[in-house]
Amino acid sequence: MSISIRSLNKIYPNGNHALNNINMEIPTGMFGLLGPNGAGKSTLMRILVALMEPTSGEVDVFGYNLLKERKQVRGILGYLPQDFRFFAKYKTYEFLDYAARLSGMHNGRKRRQAVDEMLEMVGLFDVRERYASRLSGGMKRRLGIAQALIHNPRLIIVDEPTTGLDPEERIRFRNLLAKISEQNVTIILSTHIVGDISSTCNCMALMNKGEIAFFGSPEEMRREAEGKVWRMKISGDELPLIDKKYPVITTIPSGTGWEIQVVADEIEGYDAEPYPPNLEHAYVYFMEKKLNRWMED
Ligand SMILES: Nc1ncnc2c1ncn2[C@@H]1O[C@H](COP(=O)(O)OP(=O)(O)OP(=O)(O)O)[C@@H](O)[C@H]1O
């Protein structure tokens, strides 16, 4: 187990109950924390990296108590926050060198070697002379990962890293995380993008309104939606009605109408055939059925 969370609560000074009695054992490997905006993911991440104190509860990180042994915990973890910023005056390699110095690498030769190796690993060696603020969105995220990894942490926590990236960069970033996790680094990845989790994580949790709504493997979550996904062929006029009644996942033009996929326990009044679920279907199923969220939106 890498992280053990017991009865964790966070109530902000304005009364927002952002985490509501979280209990969770996070295994080593790549762990995905999925949830809509406002679910409490960032709050949990900030507590795990010791940037914020919980209102109550206990957390152990690789055997260290987060509240009593903050320094030790900080020593073994790296963090890529959601709103990571670079200093405009630094070139890419200078920024990483600065991060390495901050983490206590004082031997210049060893540090330069570590920086070069890390730039190679994240695919930024060829742009090392470019100002960090001039890198593309995907490159910036990769530099963010590099600074989180430069002191060889056992655990890195990455908050919403693929938001705003184009599909190619998103895949590249996911592949980088998979490569890092093969090197015995545990990764906690927080995201509201289902594809980030399905392609990389062996274990995951679904968070909603400060609670853990599901914990297990992506495959187990996918299975929860078996028999709940339907494919229908409908006319153009029917779409608005169906859209009101059921969560529509995909809409593909077909002849003069549409071929759609919807998530529901059963379909009344329309011809529908069962369709094999993927993780996105399962996510919608959880949000709509189990958590009754769809109807509120
Ligand atoms: N500093 C704060 N003061 C008061 N309430 C807060 C604060 N930060 C977050 N919240 C509230 O706590 C809840 C959880 O927010 P949090 O940012 O942890 O969610 P999230 O899942 O990370 O969503 P997002 O992806 O939008 O950041 C939300 O209702 C949010 O409005």
Side-chain angles (χ1 to χ4, degrees):
M1 245 359 102
S2 65
I3 296 185
S4 170
I5 300 172
R6 295 178 300 278
S7 308
L8 194 69
N9 280 279
K10 176 68 189 180
I11 304 171
Y12 283 107
N14 69 356
N16 271 355
H17 204 149
L19 298 180
N20 189 358
N21 201 31
I22 303 274
N23 287 285
M24 188 158 60
E25 302 282 324
I26 300 181
T28 52
M30 189 143 164
F31 180 80
L33 188 63
L34 180 66
N37 288 336
K41 304 182 298 298
S42 296
T43 302
L44 180 58
M45 304 284 98
R46 285 198 289 263
I47 291 174
L48 293 183
V49 297
L51 281 178
M52 192 165 73
E53 290 206 2
T55 308
S56 62
E58 293 281 330
V59 181
D60 290 339
V61 179
F62 284 107
Y64 294 114
N65 184 287
L66 182 62
L67 292 174
K68 297 184 192 127
E69 295 164 297
R70 266 166 186 262
K71 212 169 152 223
Q72 288 89 332
V73 171
R74 285 213 172 116
I76 56 169
L77 70 80
Y79 179 42
L80 175 57
Q82 202 172 355
D83 53 356
F84 190 64
R85 299 260 187 275
F86 302 96
F87 300 116
K89 63 173 183 165
Y90 281 123
K91 291 181 177 176
T92 298
Y93 81 90
E94 288 171 337
F95 177 79
L96 206 49
D97 188 74
Y98 173 70
R101 252 184 296 148
L102 275 188
S103 74
M105 281 188 192
H106 298 303
N107 179 316
R109 197 179 53 80
K110 280 194 184 149
R111 195 175 64 239
R112 273 189 294 280
Q113 191 183 345
V115 165
D116 281 356
E117 280 171 12
M118 189 56 70
L119 287 169
E120 273 297 351
M121 167 152 164
V122 300
L124 292 175
F125 191 76
D126 292 345
V127 293
R128 62 192 181 282
E129 294 283 345
R130 198 182 292 178
Y131 282 99
S133 54
R134 294 268 170 99
L135 296 174
S136 72
M139 288 174 174
K140 280 182 183 156
R141 282 337 131 82
R142 283 187 267 135
L143 182 54
I145 279 287
Q147 65 77 33
L149 277 175
I150 193 76
H151 67 291
N152 287 324
R154 289 176 75 182
L155 165 72
I156 55 168
I157 295 188
V158 189
D159 198 359
E160 301 270 359
T162 64
T163 308
L165 297 187
D166 65 38
E168 205 181 331
E169 279 282 20
R170 187 170 287 164
I171 290 166
R172 184 163 187 176
F173 193 85
R174 287 173 189 164
N175 290 342
L176 175 61
L177 290 183
K179 187 163 113 188
I180 293 165
S181 76
E182 277 166 16
Q183 299 181 352
N184 232 353
V185 179
T186 286
I187 301 176
I188 298 182
L189 163 70
S190 139
T191 182
H192 64 271
I193 299 167
V194 177
D196 287 348
I197 304 257
S198 51
S199 54
T200 41
C201 298
N202 40 14
C203 186
M204 63 169 288
L206 173 64
M207 259 190 110
N208 188 57
K209 294 182 181 163
E211 294 180 1
I212 302 298
F214 171 86
F215 180 91
S217 69
E219 174 55 19
E220 280 161 354
M221 178 154 155
R222 189 197 64 77
R223 267 191 252 132
E224 295 269 339
E226 256 163 21
K228 318 287 181 194
V229 183
W230 308 90
R231 179 164 60 182
M232 299 157 71
K233 287 203 168 143
I234 56 164
S235 69
D237 322 338
E238 288 173 315
L239 186 57
L241 264 179
I242 290 177
D243 199 26
K244 272 204 184 118
K245 211 166 163 189
Y246 305 110
V248 177
I249 311 283
T250 52
T251 323
I252 305 162
S254 164
T256 55
W258 302 97
E259 184 186 303
I260 64 170
Q261 288 167 20
V262 303
V263 170
D265 283 328
E266 52 191 5
I267 305 287
E268 286 163 28
Y270 296 95
D271 271 346
E273 59 182 61
Y275 192 79
N278 57 31
L279 195 61
E280 192 168 13
H281 294 125
Y283 178 66
V284 173
Y285 177 68
F286 261 91
M287 287 299 157
E288 193 254 343
K289 280 300 297 174
K290 301 215 164 183
L291 311 172
N292 226 349
R293 184 173 173 276
W294 191 274
M295 295 306 173
E296 292 170 17
D297 284 349

